[in-house]
Structure formats: C-alpha cells, structure tokens
Amino acid sequence: MADLTAQPDTGTTKATPAPGLRGSIGVTGIVFLVVAAAAPLTAIGGALPVMFAIGNGPGVPAAYLLVAAVLLLFSVGYAAMSRHVVDAGAFYSYVTAGLGRVTGTGAAGLALLTYSAIQAGIYGLAGVTAGGLVTEYGGPDLPWWTWSGLLLALVAVLGYRNIEVGTKVLSLLIVLEVGIVAVVAVAVLVQGGADGIDLDSFTPHSFSSGSPGIGVMFAVASFVGFEATAIYGEEARDPKRSVAKATYFAVVLIGVFYALASWAMVLAVGTGKVQSAAAEDTSGLVFAVAGQYVGSAASDLMEILLLTSLFAALLAFHSAIARYLFSLGRQGSVPAALARSHGRHGSPHIGSLAQTVSAAVVVAVFALAGADPVLQLFTWMSGLATLGVLVLMILVSVAVVVFFARGDADSRLWHTRIAPVLGGLGLCAVVWLVLDNFTTLIGGSAALAGLFEGVVVLFFVIGTLIALRRRT
C-alpha cells in the first residue's frame, strides 16, 4: 500500500483501501528491470552508430558520462523522496506529494504518454528485427506487424503474472546482451583497436566536436525507463532502502557501461575515422566490429540478442505502464477497476490487459496507415518519449525541493536542496538541447516536431483537467 502523507490540497491523499501489489524483488531484480528498459544492445547496436554519424563522433562516450552525472544529481533527491513516498506511480506520486494532485495528475498523463510511446515504437523495431532474422534463417517472409503481434501476446502473458516471473526472464536476457557487448569491448581493448588505445574520446575537444547536442540528446534517450527503480517499490522486499540503492546503482551501471562500450567502438574503428565509418554503414557498424574482433559467430549472436534486448525492453515498459494505471486507479484518477490486483499473482492484471489493448491499437494504426515501422513508428515515438521523460524529471526535481521544504522529514541540505536544484538545472539544459535538435531526433519535419511538442503539453493539460474535475 502506498505510504503517502500529504493532504489533498497540498500533496496527496492517503491511498484508498485497495489490495496492494505483491512481490519480494530485491535491489538486483529492480536493477535488471531498469537495465532491461534501457535496452543496452539496442542502444549500442542501433542508436550508437547514429550518434557517431550525426552527433559528436568520437566524443560520444563523454556525452554518456555527462548525462549520467546529471542523472546522478537528480537521483539524490529522487532517492531521498523514495523513503517517504512508496507507490507504483513513482514520478507521478512524487510530483503529487510535492506539488499537489493537479500537477501530479498532469505528470501522470505525461508518464503514460512517454512510456506508451516508447513501447509502441519498440514494437515497430522489434517486428522488423524479428522478421529479418526469420527470413535470414529460411523462415517465411511475413509483414512486420505479424511479428510485433506475436511479441505483444508474449509480453501480455508475462505482464499478467507476478513481477518475479518477468524479472527472471529479464535477468537471463540482460546477462546475455550485456555479456556479448562486454566480450566485444574487451576484445577490442586487448587487440589494441585500429590505431592503439587512447583517451581522446573523453577530452573536451572531442566532446565539443560535431554536434554535441545531438550526442547528449541520444544519450538521454538511452536512459528512458530508469524511473522503474521506484515503480516497483511496493513489490520490493525493503522499498525504503532498495529503491535508493537500485537508483544509484542503475544510473552508474548504465552510464559506465555505455561510455566504455562506445569508447571501445571508437577505438575499434579509429578515433579519426569513426564518424565517417558510421555514416557509411550506420546499421551494420557494430555488427561489423563484432565480426572483425571476435568472429562471425559473435556478430550472428549479437543480431539474435538484439531481438531479445527489444523484447526485454517491451516487457519492462509494459510492466511500468500497468503499475502506473494501478496507482492512478487507486487514487481515483482513472476507473477503479484498474486498481485491482490479481488474487494469486498479486499483479496489476487489469492494468496489464489495458496496456496490451492500447499498444495493439497504436501498432495497428501505424500498420494500417502503411507507415515505416523504424523511420516513423520507432523514431517518432522515441523522440516523443525522450522529451516527455525530461519534462517529468524536471517536475520531480521541483517537487522534491518543495516537499522537503514544507516539513522536517529530511534535514540533509545536499539531498533535499542542493543536489535536486543542480540536477534540475542540468535537466533544463538538456531539454534546451533536445528542443534545439528535436527535428533531427524524430527524423521528421519542423511541423511534425512542433506537433509532438504540442502533444506533450496536451497530455499534461489533460491530466490537470481530470484532477480539477475530480476536485470540483
């Protein structure tokens, strides 16, 4: 049950009586869920070459470290908040506790938009990836949405059950995909790369080369989903401690992993050649590096694990959205049926079913429209999700400061004032970079970029109107 202490007009109400979620996942299990949402192999195999080609080239590793540093500052207040607010709504619940129910419900609208968008986009990319693998190994050549539908059904089954079932599946998949990237990175370092080992990627000169804003923008997209550390608080063995530990560990792990993996890719091709090489072979660069430094078997395995990486991300985002719906239902912002937990599994099964239906509708709309599943469905939805999650985190930073300023729940100045403010300012700078490069991120026109920016505002407004209507 949620541990919410503020009052209706100044924060949140106490959770209405409803069965809570059940589970006993620890820090490691929560971290696996966060890393699954980050989809490491998808980021390295898919996004990284794009960052090299149109971003800051050899300076990409530094971009990852910069974003990780900003998120660590953000995480200080976020972790402090987790000791006082334990709820499946996470960002939404934190904003509500600090800034009131109206703003909090607006944040919930943003969160649902963010995670629904990124999940729908991944279904497009996963459908194409699965179809390509099947035909490569002699299977039937079917439309991409056929494979997306099969993946959706499998995610629905696992999402309906207890979170520990999904955690076990994700743990295996994450170990495999992180393992193969680590093997390739070590092989590159042991063999000295193309021109020897150097640290040029971490210098200010390399970071500022090309378009650093695009590099930072894509780096932020690679962290979408780390909110899961708090989303699963109710299903953790010791939420008041597990969430804080998992948050710090997840940010450091993801940031360091991406920085080291991208650095290895720079060395594999050559610091001075990586940008042009990525531009010439964007989709195949990482797989070519794996084949060159480890062998063709590693390249083939990496292509297969790319699909499992996408599946792991789908399951992680599905679980997150289902728990958001559960929390909103428990607070009365959406139909109360969504707040039901399964009698045997202790899972938000109604929210899971609702999420399955909504994802199927979005995928079907793009399929019927004949849209490209990668250039349109995946790219557009990823850009929308990146902007949405950044706005959410800024709201949380403000909410943390306000929440602790109202009382004496935590007197630590660094945790409740300084770090949240610095993190919020850093996130504002990142938002400026994203807006400045948003058309590039979505791969579309300026008009389309403006439309998506308007959608972010619209969903926040819809959430606030729902809260105002309930209060009236």
Side-chain angles (χ1 to χ4, degrees), residues 66-76 220 223 226 251 393 427:
L66 175 64
V67 171
V70 171
L71 292 182
L72 275 177
L73 286 172
F74 167 82
S75 297
V76 173
V220 170
F223 282 87
F226 94 100
V251 172
M393 287 193 289
L427 289 168

Side-chain angles (χ1 to χ4, degrees), residues 34-286:
V34 176
V35 176
L41 189 53
T42 303
I44 297 300
L48 182 60
V50 178
M51 296 169 70
F52 286 148
I54 65 175
N56 50 341
V60 165
Y64 277 122
L65 291 182
L66 175 64
V67 171
V70 171
L71 292 182
L72 275 177
L73 286 172
F74 167 82
S75 297
V76 173
Y78 184 66
M81 196 77 158
S82 70
R83 296 177 179 273
H84 304 278
V85 181
V86 180
D87 187 84
F91 281 171
Y92 143 67
S93 300
Y94 290 8
V95 174
T96 302
L99 302 179
R101 181 176 295 281
V102 174
T103 306
T105 310
L110 269 180
L112 290 174
L113 170 68
T114 295
Y115 293 130
S116 297
I118 189 64
Q119 191 198 36
I122 293 173
Y123 270 120
L125 180 58
V128 171
T129 303
L133 281 173
V134 170
T135 54
E136 181 180 343
Y137 288 97
D141 185 7
L142 300 175
W144 66 269
W145 47 264
T146 305
W147 305 110
S148 297
L150 290 174
L151 291 170
L152 191 147
L154 184 55
V155 167
V157 171
L158 291 174
Y160 188 88
R161 295 173 59 82
N162 187 286
I163 187 59
E164 293 177 37
V165 176
T167 303
K168 292 175 182 177
V169 174
L170 292 176
S171 299
L172 174 62
L173 299 180
I174 293 303
V175 167
L176 291 174
E177 66 174 288
V178 170
I180 188 62
V181 173
V183 167
V184 174
V186 169
V188 171
L189 294 174
V190 169
Q191 296 175 46
D195 304 312
I197 306 299
D198 63 64
L199 297 175
D200 290 351
S201 290
F202 302 100
T203 62
H205 173 72
S206 290
F207 173 76
S208 59
S209 64
S211 302
I214 293 178
V216 170
M217 182 175 63
F218 275 93
V220 170
S222 300
F223 282 87
V224 172
F226 94 100
E227 178 195 5
T229 54
I231 287 177
Y232 299 101
E234 289 188 56
E235 295 157 278
R237 282 193 290 269
D238 184 6
K240 294 182 183 295
R241 301 180 64 180
S242 296
V243 171
K245 290 180 179 179
T247 300
Y248 290 130
F249 190 69
V251 172
V252 172
L253 176 64
I254 294 172
V256 171
F257 175 80
Y258 282 148
L260 291 178
S262 58
W263 177 52
M265 294 301 163
V266 171
L267 296 177
V269 180
T271 304
K273 297 175 286 188
V274 66
Q275 192 156 25
S276 59
E280 293 173 5
D281 185 17
T282 306
S283 61
L285 178 69
V286 172

Side-chain angles (χ1 to χ4, degrees), residues 325-340 350-351 466:
L325 292 173
F326 176 89
S327 179
L328 288 167
R330 188 164 55 187
Q331 300 298 336
S333 298
V334 296
L338 292 167
R340 296 176 188 169
I350 303 298
I466 290 173

